[in-house]
Amino acid sequence: MGLTLRNPVVASAGPLSQTVEGIKSLADGGVGAVVMYSLFEEQLRREAEQTAILEDMYDDANAEAMSYFPSVPQSSQDASSAYLRLVEAGAKAIDVPLIASLNGASVGNWTQTAHRLQEAGAAGIELNIYFVPGDITVSGGEVEERHLEIVSAVKGSVDIPVAVKLSPYFSSVGNMAVRLDASGADALVLFNRFLQPDIDVERVTVESGVSLSSAIEGRLPRTWIAVLHDRIEASLAATTGVDTADDVIKYILAGADVVMTTSSLVRRGPAYAQVLVEGLSSWLTSHEIPLVKARGLLAVPKDAAADAYERAGYVSALEKAKSTYGSLR
């Protein structure tokens, strides 16, 4: 994103950044930057609706005195007000970049909040476009255009860098990454974890829930990072499936500029970030490879046909599976 970080391990958006103390514990734990928990479009829209109702109430007031100019009260308990105060206090409390997070799925006035976050001291904005089109008449093209419109709206309202956290479910992830890069995104975060509901067969109900990521989930984002490395201008941030220093190293070798984690820090505490950083540093030293050389060492070669390269890996994996499991009875 153009930010200078002391190391490539970043605390991703999550529950540990909900207080100044939490933000400070993450920075003290050794991360290179902190991404705050998300402020949601729905919260901002609800506040705007409440403000509009109050304005309508005042419009009906019959003021006989010319000096009567009522102002619409702004609650200090509004989600946006609380978030802005936390950004301001958190940015002052730490010596690493604090990145605010906006989560939305439609184009609207909520995107203008990005400018307020900039003024509060955010070093950057992570734009989490969590758009799951349940309407089966919505085309893939419409989904893609929605993403580009949101990015354009946010980029147009701020001077600080903007990262886009995107889904792995586009019909052509690579092409979407190229288009987001061309639209001005300063970084791409691969990938968002869509939290699907489950079904409780005993109570016969749909259950929502949050689960921490597992290391195996890192394979999909690593695949795309390896493809995109050195093919776009935007920075590449890896997220999901980080549990040990080995996971950080794998992402770096694939081509990630930074590696983000929340699950490992929730499991083991903010100080675990230093374990990840030291593990990466130790590996680089033992292999006598500087970080800049390790980054992208195992990415898809720039002169290779990425689709053929990926298919060769797929076929190789199936052949290995047949030789490993084919003789089982």
Side-chain angles (χ1 to χ4, degrees):
M1 295 174 73
L3 301 174
T4 301
L5 308 185
R6 63 189 180 189
N7 66 64
V9 176
V10 173
S12 54
L16 299 177
S17 59
Q18 296 185 82
T19 63
V20 174
E21 292 73 20
I23 292 170
K24 194 171 184 305
S25 71
L26 290 167
D28 291 344
V31 297
V34 176
V35 181
M36 289 180 55
Y37 71 96
S38 293
L39 181 61
F40 288 84
E41 168 192 349
E42 289 80 1
Q43 295 172 302
L44 296 168
R45 190 187 305 123
R46 199 156 45 239
E47 290 177 12
E49 291 169 353
Q50 292 169 348
T51 298
I53 291 172
L54 288 171
E55 287 176 341
D56 287 343
M57 291 171 59
Y58 280 122
D59 284 344
D60 292 336
N62 182 17
E64 295 182 1
M66 292 297 292
S67 60
Y68 176 63
F69 293 104
S71 60
V72 178
Q74 184 76 24
S75 171
S76 62
Q77 300 304 312
D78 287 346
S80 61
S81 298
Y83 196 91
L84 289 163
R85 289 196 303 273
L86 183 57
V87 170
E88 185 173 10
K92 292 176 180 176
I94 61 178
D95 59 355
V96 298
L98 181 64
I99 299 168
S101 176
L102 277 176
N103 188 311
S106 66
V107 181
N109 292 337
W110 66 273
T111 59
Q112 297 170 3
T113 302
H115 182 71
R116 297 170 66 195
L117 294 171
Q118 173 181 298
E119 291 183 324
I125 304 288
E126 180 182 83
L127 189 53
N128 188 334
I129 305 177
Y130 198 106
F131 180 35
V132 184
D135 183 351
I136 62 174
T137 66
V138 175
S139 70
E142 290 176 274
V143 173
E144 293 175 0
E145 287 303 320
R146 175 86 63 87
H147 280 69
L148 295 171
E149 289 173 8
I150 294 172
V151 173
S152 178
V154 173
K155 283 289 293 183
S157 65
V158 298
D159 299 316
I160 55 178
V162 175
V164 181
K165 193 171 188 177
L166 65 156
S167 155
Y169 300 126
F170 295 101
S171 59
S172 177
V173 174
N175 180 259
M176 192 65 212
V178 169
R179 294 175 69 190
L180 288 167
D181 182 43
S183 73
D186 298 282
L188 301 181
V189 183
L190 283 65
F191 284 114
N192 202 344
R193 290 180 73 224
F194 284 175
L195 304 175
Q196 293 93 354
D198 201 354
I199 292 177
D200 186 318
V201 297
E202 294 302 325
R203 296 196 295 172
V204 195
T205 57
V206 176
E207 300 287 333
S208 60
V210 177
S211 60
L212 300 178
S213 69
S214 61
I216 197 169
E217 293 177 71
R219 295 186 177 187
L220 179 61
R222 274 199 299 276
T223 297
W224 279 109
I225 287 170
V227 170
L228 294 172
H229 174 73
D230 213 22
R231 283 180 165 83
I232 60 175
E233 293 296 324
S235 300
L236 294 172
T239 188
T240 300
V242 177
D243 189 53
T244 68
D246 283 356
D247 300 316
V248 175
I249 296 164
K250 290 176 184 179
Y251 269 129
I252 294 294
L253 290 171
D257 291 290
V258 298
V259 181
M260 308 172 74
T261 181
T262 287
S263 293
S264 68
L265 304 182
V266 169
R267 288 189 182 102
R268 300 178 178 86
Y272 185 67
Q274 192 59 43
V275 176
L276 297 176
V277 173
E278 290 174 355
L280 170 62
S281 179
S282 176
W283 185 90
L284 293 170
T285 299
S286 66
H287 287 73
E288 299 182 343
I289 304 175
L291 178 61
V292 68
K293 294 291 186 182
R295 184 175 284 119
L297 189 63
L298 298 182
V300 177
K302 195 172 183 180
D303 58 352
D307 53 352
Y309 192 93
E310 292 300 322
R311 182 162 178 82
Y314 163 74
V315 173
S316 175
L318 290 184
E319 290 299 323
K320 184 176 180 179
K322 285 194 291 184
S323 63
T324 303
Y325 305 111
S327 61
L328 296 180
R329 294 289 184 268

